[in-house]
Amino acid sequence: MFSFLSAVAGKSVVPVLTGGALLIALALEAGPIPDRRMGDDAMQHRDFTNAVKFYRAALASESNEDAWAEILLRLGEAELLSGDLPSARARHEEFRKRFPARSAGILPGMIFAAEGKNEQARTFFETLWRNPGTVSKEEISEQLGLVDLELKDYQAAEAVFRELSTSRNADWRDRGVRGIILTSIRRGDLKLADQEIAKLDLSDPENQKLRLCRHLAAGELDRFLTDWKQLKDSGKQAVIPDPFLLTMLTHGATALEKTGRIADADQLLADASLYVRNDAERRDNLRRRINLQMENSPAEAQARIMEYIRAFPSAPDRGMLLLQCGRLLERSGRYTESIEAFDRVMADGELAQDERIAAAYDAAAYAERHGDRNTARRMYSYAIRTLARSDRHYGALDDFAAYCLRQKDYAAALKVLEEIPEGADDRAEQIRIQALMGAEKWPEARMAAEQLSHSSVREFAMFARFQQGEIEMRAGQPVKAMDYFQKFSADFTGTPMAAEADFAVALIRFRSGEPSVTLLLAFAEKHPDSSRAASALFLALQEKCRTQNSTSAAPIMRKLRERYAKDPILAAAEVEFGTKMLAEKKYAEVLALADRQGPAVADPRMQDEFLLLKAKTLSAMGRQPDALRELRKALEAEPAKPLAPEIAMLAGEYACDQGDFSEGREFYSRALQSRSAGAFADAAASGIADASFRLAGSRHNGPDLERAEKIYRNLTEKSAFPAIQIRSSFHLGRCLLLRGRRNEAVSEWERTLYLASELRRSGAKPEPVWCAQAVYEALRVIVQDRGPGWLQRANRVIDLYGSLGLSGEGEDLIRLRDEVRSHSRSGRQKK
C-alpha cells in the first residue's frame, strides 16, 4: 500500500521523534558555554549539521572531564543523525577507551539501529531501561518503540508509544502520539491514524508531516501534493537537513513516476534536495532525478548530470554519468556537445580504461550515424592507440576495419587489417573476406575464404564456407556457387546457415528460369522455421501472379497467412495478391482484403499500400469520387504518411480526371515537394503542367499557360527519362499552338519524332500514342497553313513517323496522311 513505510520507521524516523529529547539536562553547570548551548539549540531544531559543528568546537575548548564526556556523546548522536555513521562509531569507541566504566547513554543502541542490527538494539534498550542512569525513561521508550516498529512488532511498538503518550511532559506525550500514528500507518490501520492525527495541533509542521505520511500511505497523491505545497509555502518548515521529509518526498516522487506524472515527481525530488544531510544523500537525490528524466526528458537529465559532475568532480561514477550525458545529448539532437562529453571522459586519466574506451566507441557510433567520418576515425584511432599493449588490440583494429567496411571504404579496411598478421585473428579474416568481396577482388577473396574455412572455430569456418558460394554468385559463376551451397548444406545440415544455402540454391535456379515455383515451395516445406521460408513463398506467389491467375496463387497466399501471420512480408504478399485480383476485376474481393488488412497491419508504409490498392479498385469500379475522398481524407489526417507522395500523385490524377484541375495541381505540387528528384519528380512536374494547361484552356489564363510551357520545356530538355521527354515535347507543342506560335509548334512536334527515333535506335520502343498525336497535330497545322514548302515538310514528317515502325494510327491521321500523299501524286503528275 505504501512502499516507503518500510524505510521510515527505524533510523529514518529517529530525528522526528527524538530531537532534543536526546539531550541530558546540565543543571549543575557552573556557567554559560556558548558552543555547547548552540549545539543543544541546533539539536532542538533538528539542524544536525550545525549541531556537529558547534559540539566539535565545544569539545575542543572543554577542560572539565565530565562535561567533555557529555559533549562527546552528544557529538556522536548529532553525527549519527546527520547521516555520518562512521564518525558516530568513532565517537563511541573513543568514549569507551577513555571512560570504560561509564554509560554511553542511548548512543550504542542508536548505532545498532542505524546498522540494521535491530534485535541487538532492542536488547540494548531493554537492558538500559532496567538501569537508565542519567538517561530519561521516556527517551529509552521512544528508541525501543522505534526498534519494535522496524522489527514489525506493531503490537509491542504501539504499547510502548501509548505508555509514552501518558507522560507528564507535554513534549513526550506528543511524541508518543506520533509514534502511535506511525505504527498505525505501518500496519495499514489508517482509521486509527486519522483518529490520532485529529488529536494533534496541525499548525505544528512536525504534525503536518505525519498527515503527509498518511496521505502517501493511502496513495492519495493529489492530497499529498496539496498539503506539501501548503507546508512548503507557509515558511514554517525550516530548510535544514531532514531525513523524514527526504524519505517521504523521495517515495512520493516514486509513486508519482509510476502514474506517469513525471513533472510532479521531479519537483518533489527538487524539493527533497533541500533536506539532504550529506553528500551521499545529495548524490542519491541527483541520481534519482537523472534516472527519472532519462527517458522522459533527455535535456533535463543531461542538465542534472552536469550539476552532479560540478558538485562531485571526483565522484567514482562520473565517467559512467558523462557517458550517459553524451548519449542523452545525442538523443536530444545536440551531437557536437555529445562528442565533447565523450572527449571529456577519454581525457580523464583517472577513469578506468573500460570507461574511456566505451566513450570512444559510443562517440564513433554516433559519428557514424551523423556521417562525421573524421570524428569516427579519430575515435577508433584512440581505441587502437589506448589498447596498443593489451590483448584487446586486435579487437580494436577489427572494429575500425568493420567501420570502414560499413562505409564501403574497402581499401581502408584492408589497409587497417595489414597490421594484423594473417591467420592471427579469425574475425580479422572474416572482415578481410567481406572487404575483398566489396572491392570485387575475387581471386584474393577466394584465397582468404579457403584459408578461413579451415579455422578451428566452427563459427568462422561456417562463415567462410558459405562465403565461398557468395563469392562465386557475385563473381558471375552461378553453377560454381550452387555447387558450394549444396556442399555447405550437406556438411552443416540442421543449422540455420544450411537453410540459407538451400534458399540460395533455389534462388539461383529461380533466376535461371527453372520451374521455380516448385523449388521455392519445396524449400518452404523443408525449412518452415527458416527466416527465408516466408520469402520463398512470397517469390512463389509473385511468380504465380505473373504467369497464372489469382486462383492458382490462392493456396500459397493461404500458407503465408496460416504460417507467417506475424512476418512483415505477409502484408506485401497481400498487396501483391490484391493487385492481381484487381487486374482480374475481382473488385469486391480486393475491397474486402484492403478493408481487412489495411487497418490490421502495423507497418505505416504497408497501410499506405493498402490505401492505394483500395483507391485504385474504387476508381476501376467507376467510383472515382469515392477513391479521391479516401485519398484526401488520408492526407488530411496524416500529412507525413510514408507514401504521401504516391497518394498525392494518385489524388492529383483522380482530381484532374473529374475536371478539378486546381485541386489536381495542388496534389501534384505536394507530391513534387515530397520527392524532388528522379522519375517520380518528373512525373509529378508533368502532372502540374497538364493541370495548368487544362486550366489555361478553360480560362484562357496566360500565367497558367506560361507555367505549363515552362515545365514542359524543362522536362523536354533536361529529363533523364526519354519517355517523359517525348511526352513533354508533344505537350510543349500544344502550348506553343495555343499561344499562336504555329510554326514553332510544328518544329516541336518534329522534335518529338526525332526523340522517339533516338529512343528506337537505343533498342527501346517509344510510346505510340504521343508519336501518333505529334504527327497528326503537325500535319494538321502544315496542311491548314500551307506555307512555303509545306508539302515537302508534311512528307518529311510522315516519313519520320513511318521509320519508327509504330502502329495504332487513328482514322484522322490516316485521312491527313492520305491527303498529303494525294497532293504529292498530283504534283508529280503536273510535272
Side-chain angles (χ1 to χ4, degrees):
M1 188 169 68
F2 181 31
S3 61
F4 98 93
L5 289 174
S6 62
V8 301
K11 54 183 178 293
S12 299
V13 181
V14 168
V16 176
L17 299 181
T18 59
L22 296 173
L23 306 178
I24 301 172
L26 299 177
L28 300 178
E29 290 183 0
I33 308 176
D35 287 327
R36 179 174 176 176
R37 288 184 180 172
M38 285 191 290
D40 294 346
D41 189 52
M43 288 287 281
Q44 289 282 3
H45 290 87
R46 302 181 359 272
D47 185 359
F48 308 121
T49 302
N50 275 319
V52 169
K53 181 175 67 174
F54 294 140
Y55 283 141
R56 284 177 180 172
L59 199 65
S61 61
E62 182 57 62
S63 58
N64 180 279
E65 186 178 75
D66 291 340
W68 192 91
E70 294 291 348
I71 295 169
L72 182 65
L73 290 177
R74 296 182 193 191
L75 175 59
E77 291 173 13
E79 288 173 331
L80 182 62
L81 294 173
S82 70
D84 189 355
L85 179 59
S87 292
R89 286 198 193 102
R91 302 301 175 192
H92 179 240
E93 290 172 4
E94 184 178 1
F95 183 88
R96 283 290 175 220
K97 286 179 183 177
R98 295 191 60 170
F99 309 104
R102 291 192 184 186
S103 169
I106 63 172
L107 181 60
M110 290 176 66
I111 290 174
F112 281 140
E115 293 173 333
K117 300 174 181 177
N118 293 298
E119 291 288 357
Q120 291 172 264
R122 173 189 266 176
T123 301
F124 174 84
F125 288 125
E126 287 174 343
T127 302
L128 186 63
W129 172 266
R130 292 190 290 271
N131 184 22
T134 60
V135 183
S136 71
K137 285 203 170 185
E138 287 91 347
E139 199 167 1
I140 300 169
S141 293
E142 181 185 64
Q143 294 297 327
L144 188 57
L146 289 172
V147 171
D148 286 337
L149 197 55
E150 190 64 23
L151 289 168
K152 299 183 180 180
D153 190 346
Y154 302 129
Q155 185 175 354
E158 183 179 348
V160 171
F161 288 132
R162 284 203 177 278
E163 183 178 350
L164 186 61
S165 70
T166 64
S167 173
R168 295 179 181 179
N169 182 288
D171 182 50
W172 284 116
R173 286 199 301 274
D174 286 347
R175 293 177 185 277
V177 173
R178 291 172 187 159
I180 294 170
I181 293 169
L182 281 173
T183 304
S184 303
I185 292 172
R186 275 293 299 272
R187 69 183 173 197
D189 190 350
L190 298 184
K191 184 177 180 180
L192 177 58
D194 289 339
Q195 293 172 359
E196 296 296 334
I197 288 173
K199 299 177 184 178
L200 298 176
D201 175 11
L202 291 177
S203 65
D204 183 342
E206 294 302 309
N207 295 336
Q208 290 181 38
K209 292 177 193 176
L210 290 171
R211 188 166 65 177
L212 285 171
C213 184
R214 183 259 177 227
H215 292 331
L216 202 52
E220 297 170 354
L221 299 180
D222 287 324
R223 295 183 67 183
F224 175 84
L225 288 173
T226 299
D227 282 8
W228 165 240
K229 189 175 187 305
Q230 290 174 353
L231 176 58
K232 181 176 67 169
D233 294 344
S234 70
K236 293 180 180 180
Q237 171 58 42
V239 184
I240 57 175
D242 188 330
F244 185 64
L245 260 183
L246 176 64
T247 301
M248 272 205 302
L249 295 175
T250 298
H251 286 279
T254 300
L256 286 163
E257 181 186 4
K258 288 179 180 178
T259 64
R261 299 170 65 176
I262 304 304
D264 288 335
D266 188 57
Q267 183 58 56
L268 274 189
L269 289 175
D271 293 342
S273 69
L274 301 174
Y275 303 103
V276 297
R277 295 177 294 179
N278 48 49
D279 282 350
E281 290 178 347
R282 184 172 294 105
R283 286 172 57 185
D284 182 64
N285 178 268
L286 277 172
R287 289 299 300 271
R288 285 176 184 272
R289 293 189 71 187
I290 291 166
N291 292 336
L292 178 70
Q293 296 293 358
M294 198 75 72
E295 294 299 326
N296 302 284
S297 178
E300 284 293 323
Q302 181 267 331
R304 296 289 79 75
I305 289 175
M306 295 314 298
E307 180 182 344
Y308 184 97
I309 298 299
R310 286 191 295 271
F312 307 105
S314 300
D317 57 352
R318 68 187 185 280
M320 184 272 291
L321 283 172
L322 277 170
L323 280 171
Q324 200 71 288
C325 183
R327 294 162 187 160
L328 289 169
L329 284 165
E330 197 275 340
R331 277 175 51 193
S332 58
R334 295 154 68 183
Y335 165 69
T336 302
E337 292 175 70
S338 75
I339 297 300
E340 291 172 359
F342 293 130
D343 277 331
R344 184 171 176 177
V345 176
M346 291 155 56
D348 191 337
E350 294 182 3
L351 293 176
Q353 185 184 82
D354 282 350
E355 289 181 319
R356 290 183 281 122
I357 293 298
Y361 275 112
D362 277 2
Y366 292 142
E368 182 174 358
R369 183 183 302 170
H370 287 267
D372 184 355
R373 292 195 173 195
N374 290 336
T375 297
R377 288 174 177 273
R378 177 167 67 85
M379 295 301 166
Y380 282 117
S381 296
Y382 172 91
I384 292 168
R385 188 170 62 253
T386 303
L387 297 172
R389 300 181 185 281
S390 87
D391 56 1
R392 296 162 61 189
H393 181 55
Y394 285 173
L397 288 167
D398 290 346
D399 292 334
F400 187 22
Y403 163 76
C404 295
L405 190 67
R406 291 193 298 275
Q407 297 297 307
K408 302 189 185 309
D409 191 347
Y410 306 118
L414 293 169
K415 182 71 175 176
V416 171
L417 294 174
E418 288 177 2
E419 298 185 39
I420 303 176
E422 286 193 20
D425 177 16
D426 282 351
R427 185 182 171 216
E429 295 307 308
Q430 183 182 48
I431 297 169
R432 194 191 312 277
I433 292 168
Q434 292 171 300
L436 289 167
M437 290 173 67
E440 298 186 359
K441 296 185 176 182
W442 309 122
E444 296 93 327
R446 289 185 180 102
M447 290 176 60
E450 172 62 27
Q451 182 175 341
L452 187 60
S453 70
H454 300 292
S455 171
S456 59
V457 180
R458 179 179 171 86
E459 173 192 351
F460 291 110
M462 284 180 63
F463 169 83
R465 289 281 304 276
F466 190 87
Q467 291 306 311
Q468 285 178 313
E470 287 283 342
I471 290 167
E472 298 303 338
M473 185 184 291
R474 290 175 58 182
Q477 300 294 326
V479 176
K480 288 184 179 180
M482 190 159 59
D483 183 52
Y484 274 117
F485 285 130
Q486 287 172 332
K487 288 179 180 177
F488 182 95
S489 180
D491 291 346
F492 298 99
T493 300
T495 66
M497 290 296 289
E500 290 285 329
D502 287 346
F503 182 74
V505 170
L507 203 57
I508 291 169
R509 290 179 172 172
F510 173 77
R511 291 170 178 170
S512 65
E514 291 190 32
S516 53
V517 171
T518 303
L519 289 169
L520 292 167
L521 292 176
F523 171 83
E525 292 303 316
K526 182 180 179 182
H527 303 287
D529 297 326
S530 167
S531 60
R532 298 291 194 175
S535 298
L537 288 175
F538 178 64
L539 288 172
L541 178 80
Q542 282 187 314
E543 184 70 3
K544 284 281 188 181
C545 288
R546 184 182 68 84
T547 59
Q548 299 183 37
N549 54 36
S550 62
T551 302
S552 63
I556 303 175
M557 192 69 247
R558 280 197 298 272
K559 283 185 180 180
L560 278 164
R561 289 170 181 162
E562 292 167 1
R563 299 180 184 178
Y564 307 105
K566 295 182 179 180
D567 196 298
I569 208 168
L570 176 63
E574 296 279 15
V575 171
E576 185 84 19
F577 188 59
T579 301
K580 182 63 177 179
M581 290 195 296
L582 174 58
E584 296 171 349
K585 300 182 180 181
K586 295 180 178 179
Y587 302 135
E589 291 93 327
V590 180
L591 287 180
L593 182 149
D595 287 336
R596 182 181 69 251
Q597 296 296 332
V601 69
D603 183 358
R605 186 178 184 87
M606 294 312 302
Q607 291 173 1
D608 288 357
E609 291 282 7
F610 282 112
L611 170 65
L612 290 168
L613 178 62
K614 181 177 182 179
K616 290 173 184 176
T617 305
L618 289 169
S619 178
M621 296 171 68
R623 296 169 56 188
Q624 207 167 60
D626 293 335
L628 181 58
R629 192 179 304 112
E630 292 281 342
L631 298 173
R632 188 188 293 119
K633 183 171 64 176
L635 289 172
E636 289 172 354
E638 191 179 345
K641 294 174 73 63
L643 295 183
E646 286 80 358
I647 295 170
M649 183 79 93
L650 194 60
E653 178 185 333
Y654 291 168
C656 288
D657 286 348
Q658 293 178 63
D660 192 341
F661 304 114
S662 292
E663 186 181 32
R665 184 165 65 181
E666 289 177 9
F667 280 125
Y668 282 129
S669 297
R670 182 170 179 172
L672 183 60
Q673 288 169 2
S674 301
R675 196 170 299 160
S676 57
F680 183 90
D682 285 358
S686 185
I688 296 170
D690 290 349
S692 298
F693 181 81
R694 297 296 293 274
L695 285 169
S698 62
R699 300 177 183 174
H700 303 286
N701 188 318
D704 284 331
L705 186 57
E706 288 177 7
R707 184 177 185 184
E709 180 184 339
K710 182 178 179 180
I711 294 172
Y712 286 137
R713 190 178 300 280
N714 183 64
L715 290 171
T716 300
E717 295 173 354
K718 297 180 180 179
S719 177
F721 306 96
I724 292 177
Q725 279 186 302
I726 293 168
R727 182 187 185 282
S728 300
S729 177
F730 166 73
H731 285 293
L732 176 57
R734 295 181 69 195
C735 289
L736 293 168
L737 182 65
L738 200 58
R739 290 167 68 85
R741 295 153 64 179
R742 297 169 67 84
N743 188 55
E744 291 180 52
V746 173
S747 295
E748 190 59 46
W749 288 320
E750 289 173 336
R751 184 183 185 193
T752 304
L753 297 174
Y754 280 113
L755 286 169
S757 181
E758 287 295 322
L759 183 60
R760 170 64 91 186
R761 270 195 287 273
S762 69
K765 182 181 178 181
E767 196 169 351
V769 62
W770 306 121
C771 299
Q773 288 198 37
V775 72
Y776 169 74
E777 293 291 348
L779 289 176
R780 186 171 63 84
V781 173
I782 292 170
V783 171
Q784 286 176 354
D785 292 353
R786 300 205 177 197
W790 72 273
L791 194 55
Q792 292 88 338
R793 191 175 193 184
N795 278 305
R796 186 169 66 247
V797 168
I798 291 170
D799 291 342
L800 185 56
Y801 174 71
S803 69
L804 296 175
L806 301 176
S807 59
E809 302 102 338
E811 291 182 5
D812 290 339
L813 174 56
I814 294 171
R815 178 182 56 76
L816 269 175
R817 186 179 60 189
D818 290 346
E819 182 180 343
V820 171
R821 293 302 192 197
S822 175
H823 280 287
S824 298
R825 285 194 296 272
S826 297
R828 283 196 296 271
Q829 289 171 0
K830 289 178 182 178
K831 290 180 181 179

